[in-house]
């Protein structure tokens, strides 16, 4: 049986609340497969949403249980390039997040920094957390119910 190989160094340009590269929010599992290939495996999370894992678990696609449409894409390894406005998100440091908070509301909660204007949640971007970086790109409304329990991060 041939061993599965993973795509490396793909560029996923984020368009807030629309897409991450060729993956568009609202896609069905079949449309996602047509855009980026088949998943390695599929399961359900504790909320009953469908979770597809690809590229040795470094790319996950989550489909809302009631609509079966794509609602978020998670990148858990800097193997794939994830960009906003041509800036590689993996290269953003905490100082830049603080600078960004002067222009756009940035929130902290649930172990992530959430930038609603960009439709992303960043994990591991605080000092001394480099080894656990993850990027969550989400659809409109996905994190809205969590906002009241988050803390606004203010620049210094």
């Amino acid at each position: 049986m041939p061993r599965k190989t993973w795509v490396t160094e793909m560029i996923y340009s984020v368009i807030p609340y629309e897409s991450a590269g060729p993956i568009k929010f609202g896609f069905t599992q079949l449309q996602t497969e047509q855009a980026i290939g088949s998943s390695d495996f599929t399961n359900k999370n504790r909320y009953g949403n469908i979770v597809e894992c690809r590229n040795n678990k470094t790319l996950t696609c989550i489909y809302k249980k009631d609509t079966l449409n794509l609602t978020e894409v998670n990148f858990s390894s800097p193997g794939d390039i994830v960009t906003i406005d041509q800036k590689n998100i993996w290269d953003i440091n905490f100082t830049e997040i603080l600078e960004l908070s002067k222009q756009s509301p940035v929130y902290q909660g649930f172990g992530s920094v959430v930038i609603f204007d960009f439709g992303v949640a960043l994990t591991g971007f605080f000092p001394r957390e480099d080894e656990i970086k993850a990027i969550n790109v989400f659809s409109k409304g996905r994190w809205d119910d969590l906002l009241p329990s988050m803390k606004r991060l203010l620049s210094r």
Side-chain angles (χ1 to χ4, degrees):
M1 175 184 263
R3 218 174 108 206
K4 187 164 191 157
T5 58
W6 292 284
V7 176
T8 57
E9 290 298 312
M10 185 159 174
I11 299 174
Y12 292 89
S13 297
V14 174
I15 299 173
Y17 301 118
E18 282 186 36
S19 62
I23 311 167
K24 298 189 183 321
F25 295 115
F27 265 9
T28 63
Q29 288 176 273
L30 177 60
Q31 288 170 311
T32 303
E33 182 176 337
Q34 291 168 340
I36 61 170
S38 62
S39 64
D40 299 330
F41 64 91
T42 301
N43 60 23
K44 288 186 179 182
N45 64 15
R46 65 182 175 171
Y47 306 106
N49 297 319
I50 297 170
V51 179
E52 288 184 332
C53 298
R54 290 178 169 76
N55 298 354
N56 199 25
K57 296 187 200 176
T58 62
L59 170 62
T60 58
C61 296
I62 300 176
Y63 303 84
K64 202 167 179 185
K65 70 178 175 184
D66 56 346
T67 64
L68 301 180
N69 293 114
L70 183 68
T71 188
E72 67 184 89
V73 180
N74 299 307
F75 300 91
S76 60
S77 169
D80 289 316
I81 298 169
V82 184
T83 66
I84 291 180
D85 293 331
Q86 300 179 338
K87 172 132 179 90
N88 188 343
I89 299 173
W90 295 114
D91 295 336
I92 292 175
N93 62 41
F94 190 68
T95 303
E96 290 173 290
I97 291 171
L98 289 176
E99 281 299 311
L100 185 60
S101 71
K102 292 177 182 175
Q103 306 159 16
S104 176
V106 176
Y107 295 88
Q108 180 181 357
F110 308 97
S112 297
V113 173
V114 183
I115 309 168
F116 283 93
D117 287 352
F118 294 153
V120 298
L122 310 174
T123 303
F125 286 79
F126 289 105
R128 297 182 304 266
E129 287 187 331
D130 285 344
E131 70 279 356
I132 56 166
K133 282 187 176 180
I135 300 168
N136 174 294
V137 183
F138 54 87
S139 62
K140 189 91 174 148
R142 178 69 171 148
W143 283 65
D144 291 1
D145 60 330
L146 302 174
L147 184 58
S149 56
M150 292 184 187
K151 175 183 161 190
R152 175 92 184 258
L153 190 65
L154 301 173
S155 61
R156 297 177 197 187

Coordinates of all heavy atoms in Angstrom, one line a residue, residues 1 3 7 15 17 21 33 36-37 39 41 47 74-75 78 81 87 99 105 108 118-119 123 127 139-140 142 149:
M1 N 0.8 -1.2 0.0 CA 0.0 0.0 0.0 C 0.9 1.2 0.0 O 1.8 1.4 0.8 CB -0.9 0.0 1.2 CG -1.7 1.2 1.4 SD -2.7 1.2 2.9 CE -4.2 0.6 2.3
R3 N 2.3 4.9 0.7 CA 2.2 5.8 1.8 C 1.7 7.1 1.3 O 2.0 7.6 0.3 CB 3.6 6.0 2.4 CG 3.6 6.1 3.9 CD 5.0 6.1 4.4 NE 5.2 7.5 4.9 CZ 6.3 8.1 5.0 NH1 7.4 7.5 4.6 NH2 6.4 9.3 5.4
V7 N 1.0 17.6 1.3 CA 1.4 18.8 0.6 C 2.1 19.7 1.6 O 1.7 19.9 2.7 CB 0.1 19.5 0.1 CG1 0.5 20.8 -0.6 CG2 -0.7 18.6 -0.8
I15 N -9.0 35.6 3.5 CA -9.9 36.7 3.2 C -10.9 36.6 4.4 O -11.7 35.6 4.5 CB -10.7 36.6 1.9 CG1 -9.6 36.6 0.7 CG2 -11.7 37.7 1.7 CD1 -10.2 36.4 -0.6
Y17 N -13.6 36.1 7.0 CA -14.9 35.6 7.0 C -15.4 35.0 5.6 O -16.5 34.6 5.5 CB -16.0 36.7 7.4 CG -15.7 37.2 8.7 CD1 -15.4 38.5 8.9 CD2 -15.7 36.4 9.9 CE1 -15.1 39.1 10.2 CE2 -15.5 36.9 11.1 CZ -15.2 38.2 11.3 OH -15.0 38.7 12.5
G21 N -7.3 30.6 1.5 CA -6.8 30.0 0.2 C -8.0 29.5 -0.6 O -9.0 30.2 -0.7
E33 N -12.9 18.8 -0.4 CA -12.1 17.7 -1.0 C -11.7 18.1 -2.4 O -10.6 17.9 -2.8 CB -12.8 16.4 -0.9 CG -12.0 15.2 -1.5 CD -12.7 13.9 -1.4 OE1 -13.6 13.7 -0.5 OE2 -12.4 13.0 -2.2
I36 N -8.9 20.9 -2.0 CA -7.6 20.6 -1.4 C -7.2 19.1 -1.3 O -6.2 18.8 -0.7 CB -7.4 21.3 -0.1 CG1 -8.4 20.9 1.0 CG2 -7.4 22.8 -0.2 CD1 -8.1 21.3 2.4
G37 N -8.1 18.3 -1.7 CA -7.8 16.8 -1.6 C -8.5 16.2 -0.5 O -9.1 16.8 0.4
S39 N -9.4 14.0 3.0 CA -8.9 14.1 4.4 C -8.2 12.8 4.7 O -8.4 11.7 4.1 CB -10.0 14.4 5.3 OG -10.9 13.3 5.3
F41 N -8.4 11.6 7.9 CA -9.5 10.9 8.7 C -10.5 12.0 9.1 O -10.2 13.2 9.1 CB -9.0 10.1 9.9 CG -8.3 10.9 10.9 CD1 -9.0 11.5 12.0 CD2 -6.9 11.2 10.8 CE1 -8.3 12.2 13.0 CE2 -6.2 11.9 11.8 CZ -7.0 12.4 12.9
Y47 N -18.7 18.9 20.5 CA -19.9 19.7 20.1 C -20.8 19.0 19.1 O -21.8 19.5 18.7 CB -19.6 21.1 19.7 CG -18.7 21.8 20.8 CD1 -17.4 22.0 20.5 CD2 -19.3 22.2 22.0 CE1 -16.6 22.7 21.4 CE2 -18.5 22.8 22.9 CZ -17.1 23.1 22.6 OH -16.4 23.7 23.6
N74 N -8.3 25.2 10.8 CA -7.2 25.4 11.8 C -5.9 24.9 11.2 O -5.8 23.8 10.5 CB -7.5 24.5 13.0 CG -8.8 25.0 13.7 OD1 -8.9 26.1 14.0 ND2 -9.7 24.0 13.9
F75 N -4.9 25.7 11.4 CA -3.5 25.3 11.0 C -2.7 25.2 12.3 O -2.6 26.1 13.1 CB -2.9 26.4 10.1 CG -3.7 26.7 8.9 CD1 -4.7 27.7 8.9 CD2 -3.4 26.0 7.7 CE1 -5.5 27.9 7.7 CE2 -4.2 26.3 6.5 CZ -5.2 27.2 6.5
P78 N 3.6 25.5 11.3 CA 4.0 26.5 10.3 C 4.5 25.9 9.0 O 5.2 26.6 8.2 CB 5.1 27.3 11.0 CG 5.6 26.4 12.1 CD 4.5 25.5 12.4
I81 N 2.0 28.1 4.6 CA 2.1 29.6 4.8 C 0.6 30.1 4.9 O -0.2 29.8 4.0 CB 2.9 30.2 3.7 CG1 4.3 29.7 3.7 CG2 2.8 31.7 3.8 CD1 5.1 30.0 2.4
K87 N 1.1 39.2 4.5 CA 2.0 39.0 5.6 C 1.8 37.6 6.2 O 0.7 37.2 6.4 CB 1.7 40.1 6.7 CG 2.4 39.8 8.0 CD 3.1 41.0 8.5 CE 3.8 40.8 9.9 NZ 5.1 40.4 9.7
E99 N 0.5 46.3 18.6 CA 0.4 47.4 17.6 C -0.9 47.3 16.9 O -1.6 48.4 16.6 CB 1.6 47.4 16.7 CG 2.8 48.0 17.2 CD 2.7 49.5 17.6 OE1 2.2 50.3 16.9 OE2 3.1 49.8 18.8
P105 N -9.9 46.0 17.2 CA -10.0 45.3 18.6 C -9.4 43.9 18.6 O -9.7 43.1 17.6 CB -11.5 45.3 18.7 CG -12.1 46.2 17.8 CD -11.2 46.3 16.6
Q108 N -8.5 38.6 24.1 CA -7.8 37.4 24.6 C -8.8 36.5 25.4 O -9.6 37.0 26.2 CB -6.7 37.8 25.6 CG -5.9 36.7 26.1 CD -4.8 37.2 27.1 OE1 -4.7 38.4 27.3 NE2 -4.2 36.3 27.7
F118 N -10.1 40.4 11.3 CA -9.4 39.5 10.4 C -10.0 38.1 10.4 O -9.6 37.3 9.6 CB -7.9 39.4 10.7 CG -7.2 40.7 10.5 CD1 -6.0 41.0 11.3 CD2 -7.6 41.7 9.7 CE1 -5.3 42.2 11.1 CE2 -6.9 42.9 9.5 CZ -5.8 43.1 10.2
G119 N -10.9 37.8 11.3 CA -11.5 36.5 11.3 C -10.5 35.4 11.7 O -10.6 34.3 11.2
T123 N -3.1 31.2 18.6 CA -2.7 30.5 19.8 C -1.1 30.4 19.8 O -0.6 30.0 18.8 CB -3.3 29.1 20.0 OG1 -4.7 29.3 19.9 CG2 -2.9 28.4 21.3
P127 N 4.7 35.7 24.4 CA 6.2 35.4 24.6 C 6.3 34.0 25.3 O 5.5 33.6 26.1 CB 6.6 36.5 25.6 CG 5.7 37.6 25.3 CD 4.4 37.0 24.9
S139 N -15.4 31.6 10.2 CA -16.5 32.2 9.5 C -17.2 33.2 10.4 O -17.1 33.2 11.6 CB -17.5 31.2 9.0 OG -18.1 30.5 10.1
K140 N -18.0 34.2 9.8 CA -18.7 35.2 10.5 C -19.6 34.6 11.5 O -20.3 33.6 11.2 CB -19.5 36.0 9.5 CG -20.1 37.3 10.1 CD -19.2 38.4 9.9 CE -19.8 39.7 10.4 NZ -18.9 40.6 10.9
R142 N -18.8 32.8 14.1 CA -18.3 31.5 14.7 C -17.9 31.8 16.2 O -18.2 31.0 17.1 CB -17.2 31.0 13.9 CG -16.5 29.7 14.5 CD -17.5 28.6 14.4 NE -16.8 27.4 14.8 CZ -17.3 26.3 15.4 NH1 -18.6 26.4 15.7 NH2 -16.6 25.3 15.7
S149 N -17.1 36.7 27.2 CA -16.2 36.2 28.2 C -14.8 36.4 27.9 O -13.9 35.9 28.6 CB -16.5 34.7 28.4 OG -16.4 34.0 27.2

